[in-house]
């Protein structure tokens, strides 16, 4: 009998800002919690008394205790805003078409997704697939927020495959006349429209029932949702299959959506001993790579060389010792990658090759050095990377091409995990547009 993955993707009664109380949504939404700086947090607090920051990432105080803290205050705000009619629940369950229109390097993109609630499954069920490891501290924070608010405040970004374009065509029928339309502080335009047609709801549910989902961004929130569900199961001894805590809010995006933009994450190297820095010369690098010294040092030109080389084989640029070196993987480098215990999909990742052959083998760094921040810092901005090296703020830098989403899915299919900071999906999903109540 053929195995069916059975992703259970359902409509929801979304919790949303009431338009008669909050006419300008740009004043109350924020990016996801994990990219909000202290300066941005303060700015969102000042922007509007109903800004979602008070729920998503509240301010701590010196007087916080078990009864009065960021989590209890978030719960109080949520209850108060509901009672005041600032937030209201959709009368009928529905899906939501959610589009983000943005410009990057003079190119215009439209990313289309479906907001829905998805039944939680353990990784072992192979219905929802991860591609990265998580950290305990981040999950503990989000679990405390779950316990206090019993609400998904922001969606998890997930991918699905739709080679025939069935979902793309269905969603296109709702794109012309969005119910909600506004521009955020980064210049990204957000459009939202409920999908309430019962025939379309049935078609959507049926479409996803034979699909796997790949988490693109939000692994911590997914594992937190699982932990919260299991905690309730233990407390209540039984959890009805239809209980809202069995589901989590997701933004579902076609892996081939033309608006999916993945930015590379470059590596800035600091605190290198002289012996380590000496390894970043042409001769030392020839163990695994062909080395070409680039005549230009401008960010735009170097990136153009890197992108062209990367179309044929794994390639990188090292900025060090007042040089820009273009590296291409050799047969010897490929052979050494094959000695890794990781999956074949992992061995072909640019970011995995860079970590294993350049950072670990050439520089002698360990896996934990990639997360501690002692030797390696990360940036998506090539211009910033160039400036940091020129100013001496970093001793060297490693420039990478972006990771294709197909490779992310292949690593997930292989039940493997990608190196830290492998992908950066731009822009992030907005927080506060639609929330998913779990009560």
């Amino acid at each position: 009998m053929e195995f069916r993955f059975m992703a259970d993707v359902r409509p929801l009664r979304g919790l949303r800002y009431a338009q008669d109380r909050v006419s300008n949504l740009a004043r109350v939404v924020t990016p996801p919690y994990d990219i909000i700086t202290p300066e941005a947090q303060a700015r969102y607090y000042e922007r509007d008394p109903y800004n979602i920051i008070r729920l998503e990432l509240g301010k701590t105080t010196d007087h916080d205790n078990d009864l009065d803290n960021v989590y209890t205050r978030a719960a109080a705000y949520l209850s108060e805003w509901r009672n005041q009619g600032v937030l209201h629940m959709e009368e009928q369950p529905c899906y939501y078409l959610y589009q983000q229109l943005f410009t990057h390097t003079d190119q215009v993109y439209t990313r289309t997704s479906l907001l829905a609630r998805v039944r939680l499954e353990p990784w072992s069920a192979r219905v929802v697939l991860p591609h990265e490891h998580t950290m305990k501290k981040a999950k503990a924070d989000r679990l405390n927020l779950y316990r206090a608010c019993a609400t998904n405040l922001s969606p998890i970004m997930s991918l699905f495959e739709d080679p025939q374009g069935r979902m793309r065509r269905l969603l296109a029928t709702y794109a012309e006349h969005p119910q909600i339309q506004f521009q955020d502080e980064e210049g990204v335009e957000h459009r939202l429209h409920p999908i309430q047609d019962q025939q379309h709801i049935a078609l959507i549910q049926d479409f996803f029932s034979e699909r796997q989902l790949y988490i693109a961004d939000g692994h911590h929130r997914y594992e937190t949702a699982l932990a919260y569900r299991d905690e309730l199961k233990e407390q209540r001894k039984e959890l009805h299959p239809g209980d809202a805590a069995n589901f989590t809010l997701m933004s579902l995006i076609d892996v081939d959506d033309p608006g999916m933009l993945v930015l590379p994450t470059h590596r800035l190297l600091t605190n290198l001993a002289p012996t380590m820095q000496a390894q970043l010369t042409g001769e030392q690098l020839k163990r695994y790579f062909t080395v070409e010294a680039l005549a230009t040092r401008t960010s735009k030109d170097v990136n153009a060389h890197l992108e062209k080389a990367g179309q044929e084989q794994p390639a990188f640029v090292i900025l060090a010792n007042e040089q820009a070196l273009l590296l291409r993987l050799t047969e010897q480098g490929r052979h050494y990658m094959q000695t890794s215990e990781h999956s074949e999909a992992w061995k072909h990742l640019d970011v995995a090759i860079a970590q294993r052959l350049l950072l670990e083998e050439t520089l002698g760094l360990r896996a934990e050095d990639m997360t501690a921040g002692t030797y390696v810092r990360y940036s998506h901005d090539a211009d910033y990377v160039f400036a940091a090296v020129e100013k001496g703020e970093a001793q060297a830098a490693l420039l990478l091409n972006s990771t294709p989403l197909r490779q992310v899915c292949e690593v997930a299919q292989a039940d493997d995990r990608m190196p830290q900071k492998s992908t950066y999906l731009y822009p992030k999903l907005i927080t506060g547009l639609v929330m998913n109540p779990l009560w």
Side-chain angles (χ1 to χ4, degrees), residues 198-243:
Q198 292 303 307
Q199 185 178 1
H200 283 174
I201 286 176
L203 285 171
I204 292 169
Q205 201 159 356
D206 181 66
F207 171 86
F208 283 103
S209 69
E210 295 183 349
R211 279 176 175 62
Q212 286 175 301
L213 304 177
Y214 305 88
I215 293 192
D217 192 15
H219 290 76
H220 288 90
R221 279 169 285 167
Y222 190 86
E223 290 189 1
T224 300
L226 281 170
Y228 179 71
R229 180 203 66 181
D230 293 345
E231 194 174 86
L232 290 185
K233 264 187 181 178
E234 188 174 343
Q235 291 172 0
R236 301 177 187 175
K237 307 304 179 188
E238 185 179 357
L239 200 62
H240 188 276
D243 193 288

Side-chain angles (χ1 to χ4, degrees), residues 264-285:
T265 304
H266 311 299
R267 275 67 174 150
L268 290 155
L269 305 177
T270 56
N271 297 312
L272 301 180
T275 53
M276 297 169 72
Q277 195 163 3
Q279 299 299 310
L280 299 176
T281 63
E283 289 305 312
Q284 298 297 330
L285 295 169

Side-chain angles (χ1 to χ4, degrees), residues 16-18 21-22 50 80-88:
R16 299 167 56 192
Y17 281 99
R21 297 296 305 274
V22 179
Y50 298 127
E80 180 182 328
W81 294 354
R82 288 182 63 211
N83 290 334
Q84 292 176 348
V86 174
L87 295 176
H88 72 95

Side-chain angles (χ1 to χ4, degrees), residues 2-164:
E2 185 181 355
F3 179 71
R4 301 181 72 196
F5 295 111
M6 294 298 291
D8 189 357
V9 175
R10 299 192 185 185
L12 67 146
R13 291 183 62 195
L15 186 65
R16 299 167 56 192
Y17 281 99
Q19 287 182 272
D20 60 340
R21 297 296 305 274
V22 179
S23 58
N24 184 3
L25 282 174
R27 294 183 57 83
V28 296
V29 297
T30 71
Y33 74 99
D34 54 349
I35 65 167
I36 296 175
T37 64
E39 294 77 17
Q41 182 192 42
R43 187 169 71 249
Y44 298 139
Y45 257 86
E46 294 171 3
R47 181 168 292 169
D48 194 284
Y50 298 127
N51 191 287
I52 196 72
I53 193 69
R54 289 169 173 79
L55 310 185
E56 175 80 344
L57 190 66
K59 289 181 179 178
T60 59
T61 75
D62 295 336
H63 308 292
D64 282 359
N65 54 52
D66 289 345
L67 299 178
D68 184 12
N69 52 61
V70 290
Y71 310 113
T72 61
R73 289 191 290 273
Y77 281 123
L78 178 60
S79 177
E80 180 182 328
W81 294 354
R82 288 182 63 211
N83 290 334
Q84 292 176 348
V86 174
L87 295 176
H88 72 95
M89 280 181 65
E90 209 79 58
E91 291 186 8
Q92 298 295 327
C94 60
Y95 294 111
Y96 299 89
L97 169 71
Y98 173 37
Q99 291 186 305
Q100 291 166 282
L101 288 71
F102 59 99
T103 301
H104 183 75
T105 58
D106 299 325
Q107 185 173 343
V108 178
Y109 296 84
T110 299
R111 188 170 70 194
T112 299
S113 63
L114 179 79
L115 291 176
R117 61 190 185 115
V118 177
R119 182 177 295 278
L120 293 160
E121 301 280 2
W123 300 137
S124 58
R126 308 290 291 160
V127 174
V128 180
L129 303 180
H131 73 262
E132 68 179 30
H133 292 290
T134 55
M135 292 176 283
K136 289 182 179 179
K137 183 178 179 181
K139 288 188 286 188
D141 164 61
R142 292 297 99 178
L143 183 55
N144 284 330
L145 192 59
Y146 263 72
R147 290 166 177 159
C149 294
T151 303
N152 299 141
L153 300 175
S154 57
I156 294 165
M157 184 188 290
S158 296
L159 307 173
F160 64 89
E161 296 189 75
D162 182 20
Q164 287 81 35

Side-chain angles (χ1 to χ4, degrees), residues 122-383:
W123 300 137
S124 58
R126 308 290 291 160
V127 174
V128 180
L129 303 180
H131 73 262
E132 68 179 30
H133 292 290
T134 55
M135 292 176 283
K136 289 182 179 179
K137 183 178 179 181
K139 288 188 286 188
D141 164 61
R142 292 297 99 178
L143 183 55
N144 284 330
L145 192 59
Y146 263 72
R147 290 166 177 159
C149 294
T151 303
N152 299 141
L153 300 175
S154 57
I156 294 165
M157 184 188 290
S158 296
L159 307 173
F160 64 89
E161 296 189 75
D162 182 20
Q164 287 81 35
R166 289 167 52 194
M167 191 53 51
R168 196 178 307 128
R169 288 191 297 273
L170 189 154
L171 295 179
T173 63
Y174 291 89
E176 287 189 17
H177 305 289
Q179 184 188 88
I180 299 293
Q181 187 171 350
F182 66 94
Q183 193 173 85
D184 67 20
E185 63 183 356
E186 298 293 329
V188 178
E189 184 177 319
H190 301 266
R191 297 179 180 180
L192 184 79
H193 197 84
I195 299 174
Q196 298 170 325
D197 181 277
Q198 292 303 307
Q199 185 178 1
H200 283 174
I201 286 176
L203 285 171
I204 292 169
Q205 201 159 356
D206 181 66
F207 171 86
F208 283 103
S209 69
E210 295 183 349
R211 279 176 175 62
Q212 286 175 301
L213 304 177
Y214 305 88
I215 293 192
D217 192 15
H219 290 76
H220 288 90
R221 279 169 285 167
Y222 190 86
E223 290 189 1
T224 300
L226 281 170
Y228 179 71
R229 180 203 66 181
D230 293 345
E231 194 174 86
L232 290 185
K233 264 187 181 178
E234 188 174 343
Q235 291 172 0
R236 301 177 187 175
K237 307 304 179 188
E238 185 179 357
L239 200 62
H240 188 276
D243 193 288
N246 284 310
F247 297 83
T248 193
L249 180 63
M250 283 192 181
S251 174
L252 303 167
I253 306 173
D254 182 353
V255 69
D256 295 319
D257 186 277
M260 284 299 291
L261 177 62
V262 186
L263 300 181
T265 304
H266 311 299
R267 275 67 174 150
L268 290 155
L269 305 177
T270 56
N271 297 312
L272 301 180
T275 53
M276 297 169 72
Q277 195 163 3
Q279 299 299 310
L280 299 176
T281 63
E283 289 305 312
Q284 298 297 330
L285 295 169
K286 287 178 181 177
R287 182 181 175 191
Y288 300 119
F289 303 95
T290 63
V291 181
E292 177 188 350
L294 298 177
T296 179
R297 281 295 302 270
T298 68
S299 171
K300 184 177 180 181
D301 289 343
V302 168
N303 269 325
H305 283 290
L306 177 58
E307 287 179 17
K308 184 178 179 181
Q311 291 171 3
E312 300 172 359
Q313 62 193 102
F316 315 93
V317 167
I318 289 282
L319 300 178
N321 306 312
E322 298 185 351
Q323 294 186 92
L325 303 176
L326 176 63
L327 312 183
R328 295 180 177 90
L329 189 66
T330 62
E331 278 303 316
Q332 187 173 346
R334 288 190 182 88
H335 177 74
Y336 191 79
M337 285 301 295
Q338 287 301 315
T339 65
S340 167
E341 295 180 354
H342 281 278
S343 64
E344 281 299 314
W346 188 93
K347 294 171 188 174
H348 289 89
L349 293 170
D350 280 20
V351 67
I353 294 167
Q355 178 168 308
R356 182 169 167 81
L357 300 188
L358 287 168
L359 300 183
E360 294 178 5
E361 288 299 315
T362 303
L363 291 181
L365 300 179
R366 302 164 300 171
E368 51 265 36
D369 293 326
M370 314 299 171
T371 58
T374 304
Y375 299 104
V376 185
R377 292 186 289 117
Y378 302 93
S379 175
H380 315 293
D381 187 341
D383 290 336

Side-chain angles (χ1 to χ4, degrees), residues 399-415:
L399 297 175
L400 291 84
N401 285 311
S402 59
T403 303
L405 286 175
R406 283 285 172 187
Q407 283 193 305
V408 175
C409 295
E410 287 166 6
V411 171
Q413 279 285 359
D415 199 19

